[in-house]
Amino acid sequence: LPEWITVDESYFDDALFIGDSRIVGLRDYGKLEGHGTFYASEGLNIFRLLNSRIVEAPGQRKKITVEEALGERQFGKIYLMVGINELDIGTVERYKNTYQETIERIRELQPNARIYIQSIMLVTEKRAAKGDFVTNAGIIARNEAIQGLADNVNVFYLDVNEAVVDESGGMNPEYTTDGVHLKAKYVPLWTEYLKTHVKP
């Protein structure tokens, strides 16, 4: 397992965070104002991550795709988190393969960036028991699949669930109102995890 070091917020000055509504929460409540760039939107998934028009481009009225934006500006590190919206789309295998293709494309566009794959955050046990497609078993299967994409040279896997789960094995119910997203006041727990899990 990689050794980690601890950093302060300025480490994220050249970091890009790409992801779904949970990354939107990190942007809005993670106490990273002035640090980091966010290409995030609710509902984002791995299958349309690169083609999603979610990036504000200077001097342009309409937004550009993540792929176009990655070609225009270089970052030192890129943090990914997608997966909660894919639980009812395709198989675990397709998710993993698409994730791998996405990372390969990002590496072509960002050859000097270190890539951090963040685990999909688990949901509360209560939310997982509702009986729809959002289950912790489905999340765990996908996390195991993407963990295998880390080479521990350029691409690293971060199990952010260490910061948010309790002994039930799911997200701590105190940390969330809907069982899926962290309450604003608990998002900094995630930021603290990221600050203490940096590859030297």
Side-chain angles (χ1 to χ4, degrees):
L1 282 171
E3 293 290 308
W4 305 113
I5 58 169
T6 298
V7 297
D8 66 17
E9 286 81 6
S10 66
Y11 174 81
F12 301 106
D13 289 353
D14 66 345
L16 170 65
F17 295 87
I18 307 176
D20 52 35
S21 54
R22 285 152 154 192
I23 293 283
V24 172
L26 183 66
R27 178 193 71 199
D28 293 347
Y29 307 113
K31 297 190 161 42
L32 287 169
E33 291 84 359
H35 307 284
T37 301
F38 291 82
Y39 299 167
S41 83
E42 291 175 18
L44 190 71
N45 68 52
I46 196 69
F47 303 111
R48 47 188 186 77
L49 185 148
L50 290 171
N51 298 324
S52 291
R53 292 187 176 277
I54 59 171
V55 183
E56 308 248 350
Q60 292 194 38
R61 287 235 303 275
K62 63 177 203 284
K63 293 184 177 178
I64 61 172
T65 67
V66 170
E67 186 167 21
E68 287 170 319
L70 288 168
E72 290 184 2
R73 177 180 167 195
Q74 294 297 302
F75 294 92
K77 56 284 287 194
I78 297 174
Y79 288 83
L80 298 166
M81 185 188 279
V82 286
I84 192 79
N85 300 310
E86 291 85 323
L87 293 172
D88 64 337
I89 308 174
T91 59
V92 173
E93 192 65 17
R94 183 174 164 230
Y95 173 75
K96 178 185 179 177
N97 291 341
T98 308
Y99 213 122
Q100 183 166 9
E101 289 162 13
T102 302
I103 287 175
E104 285 166 4
R105 182 64 182 136
I106 292 172
R107 286 202 40 75
E108 286 172 15
L109 294 164
Q110 298 278 329
N112 301 315
R114 176 177 285 176
I115 296 176
Y116 288 100
I117 300 170
Q118 300 180 88
S119 63
I120 308 162
M121 273 184 200
L122 293 161
V123 298
T124 58
E125 285 299 297
K126 182 179 173 191
R127 177 65 188 85
K130 254 178 88 167
D132 61 11
F133 60 88
V134 178
T135 66
N136 280 334
I139 291 172
I140 289 164
R142 282 161 179 77
N143 281 340
E144 286 172 355
I146 58 175
Q147 191 169 1
L149 301 178
D151 60 15
N152 292 321
V153 180
N154 301 303
V155 183
F156 302 90
Y157 178 79
L158 295 177
D159 184 10
V160 297
N161 281 302
E162 290 173 18
V164 300
V165 301
D166 65 6
E167 60 279 0
S168 73
M171 184 183 280
N172 186 328
E174 278 181 40
Y175 293 174
T176 176
T177 45
D178 64 0
V180 176
H181 299 90
L182 293 173
K183 289 180 191 168
K185 72 174 186 180
Y186 292 108
V187 175
L189 293 172
W190 177 7
T191 307
E192 287 306 309
Y193 176 88
L194 295 178
K195 284 163 61 178
T196 55
H197 289 76
V198 166
K199 192 76 185 95

